[in-house]
Amino acid sequence: MSLVSLIDLPDLGDERGGLIAIESNQGIPFEIKRLYYIFNTTNQARGFHAHINLKQVAICLKGSCRFILDDGSKKEHVVLNTATKGLLIEGLVWREMHDFSEDCVLLVLASEHYDEADYIRDYDAFLREVDKPFIHPLSDVQSIKIGQKTKIWQYSVILSGASIGGNCNICAHTLIENDVVVGNNVTIKSGVYIWDGITLEDDVFIGPCVVFTNDKKPRSKQYPTEFPQTIVEKGASIGANATILPGIRIGQNALIGAGAVVTKDVPNNAIVVGNPAYIKGYTE
Ligand code: T46
């Protein structure tokens, strides 16, 4: 998705001249709490910061200037030179302003009152903020071992001993126990419970409502001295509603069909389906 979002500001003018009307929450996607304008800026660049929450719309009323917008992974340039377009700048976007013409008048509409605490003026601090894991306020995440850029959604519970890698997506309604290791770029869809003794390596996909188990002879209030280790190796995918019996190794890039009941180890690249699951083919 492009970082450059230009809002049309229709000219309501007539033969007497131009007229542009701006109203909060109508065209401008927020309540305008403040406006400021920048002028007489020549041979100077400005900005070089991001905001945590502030949203703004910048409109070049006269002359021109060039914005650089940067979300930490990509940079885009846009020249503003008309009063009929507003550049929407969301929070957590690094912005720089260059090439101000002598006559440039840049009007900025802002969603919040001025608050220096909302500025991030150091680029490395900005990158750290952008990469921070997203932990939904309705989740209960007790572990501090959550990698950069990982997202954890509503009603997920992650116990304190679990280790979760970077860039994972852990969907709503999941439970991850203590003795669990999740690698990088892992997707865990909703309705999945990951019990003690389970490891998911990098790039693993766990479909909705996949059932893991960790006790071959479950009895209420009787616990094994240690839980069998289940490992889902790098790049493997498990389809919706599959059941994985305790202590299974699912090999690299294996594909487990929806609803399969996996009772024994699955070799690398194998495609398994059915109950009990059997090898139907290989991915390569
Ligand atoms: C932004 C870009 C597009 C205030 O006291 N109140 C204000 O409302 C503003 C905007 C600034 N200030 C003070 C803060 C600084 O001491 O004015 C001084 C200059 O601000 P700054 O260096 O942040 O100016 P720019 O042109 O680099 O950045 C401005 C806005 O501050 C910023 O929010 O996104 O324009």
Side-chain angles (χ1 to χ4, degrees), residues 132-185:
K132 255 182 22 188
F134 167 77
I135 297 179
H136 196 283
L138 291 177
S139 64
D140 177 9
V141 177
Q142 297 162 16
S143 170
I144 53 163
K145 286 173 270 165
I146 310 289
Q148 303 273 72
K149 293 189 178 174
T150 283
K151 293 188 171 72
I152 299 170
W153 295 98
Q154 298 90 328
Y155 311 112
S156 292
V157 178
I158 301 189
L159 299 188
S160 60
S163 167
I164 314 290
N167 204 31
C168 294
N169 195 19
I170 300 184
C171 297
H173 295 279
T174 49
L175 167 66
I176 298 182
E177 284 196 322
N178 282 299
D179 181 19
V180 172
V181 177
V182 174
N184 299 316
N185 306 314

Side-chain angles (χ1 to χ4, degrees), residues 83-276:
T84 60
K85 298 270 181 215
L87 175 66
L88 176 63
I89 312 169
E90 301 277 1
L92 281 189
V93 171
W94 187 262
R95 78 283 321 261
E96 297 174 14
M97 294 168 281
H98 296 268
D99 307 337
F100 284 91
S101 64
E102 265 182 35
D103 59 344
C104 180
V105 178
L106 182 71
L107 171 69
V108 183
L109 315 174
S111 65
E112 303 298 334
H113 297 293
Y114 175 72
D115 177 10
E116 185 58 36
D118 190 65
Y119 284 74
I120 306 173
R121 293 189 183 272
D122 174 74
Y123 190 71
D124 288 336
F126 161 68
L127 290 180
R128 283 196 298 279
E129 190 66 29
V130 165
D131 288 349
K132 255 182 22 188
F134 167 77
I135 297 179
H136 196 283
L138 291 177
S139 64
D140 177 9
V141 177
Q142 297 162 16
S143 170
I144 53 163
K145 286 173 270 165
I146 310 289
Q148 303 273 72
K149 293 189 178 174
T150 283
K151 293 188 171 72
I152 299 170
W153 295 98
Q154 298 90 328
Y155 311 112
S156 292
V157 178
I158 301 189
L159 299 188
S160 60
S163 167
I164 314 290
N167 204 31
C168 294
N169 195 19
I170 300 184
C171 297
H173 295 279
T174 49
L175 167 66
I176 298 182
E177 284 196 322
N178 282 299
D179 181 19
V180 172
V181 177
V182 174
N184 299 316
N185 306 314
V186 170
T187 299
I188 302 174
K189 302 298 283 185
S190 295
V192 176
Y193 308 133
I194 318 248
W195 312 113
D196 284 329
I198 294 171
T199 296
L200 310 179
E201 292 189 349
D202 294 351
D203 306 316
V204 157
F205 173 88
I206 307 295
C209 299
V210 165
V211 176
F212 287 97
T213 54
N214 70 349
D215 191 347
K216 280 188 177 156
K217 296 182 181 157
R219 296 281 182 206
S220 182
K221 307 283 179 197
Q222 294 175 28
Y223 305 100
T225 41
E226 60 180 35
F227 290 103
Q229 301 293 301
T230 293
I231 178 160
V232 183
E233 292 186 351
K234 185 173 163 49
S237 290
I238 306 183
N241 265 316
T243 300
I244 315 298
L245 265 55
I248 298 275
R249 178 186 87 89
I250 295 180
Q252 290 185 16
N253 294 316
L255 216 45
I256 311 300
V261 178
V262 180
T263 56
K264 53 183 189 231
D265 288 356
V266 175
N268 293 352
N269 304 311
I271 301 170
V272 303
V273 296
N275 177 9

Side-chain angles (χ1 to χ4, degrees), residues 34 36 38 46-47 49 51 56 95 97 114 119 121:
R34 172 171 60 108
Y36 59 95
I38 292 170
R46 307 186 63 127
H49 56 252
H51 285 278
Q56 301 190 108
R95 78 283 321 261
M97 294 168 281
Y114 175 72
Y119 284 74
R121 293 189 183 272

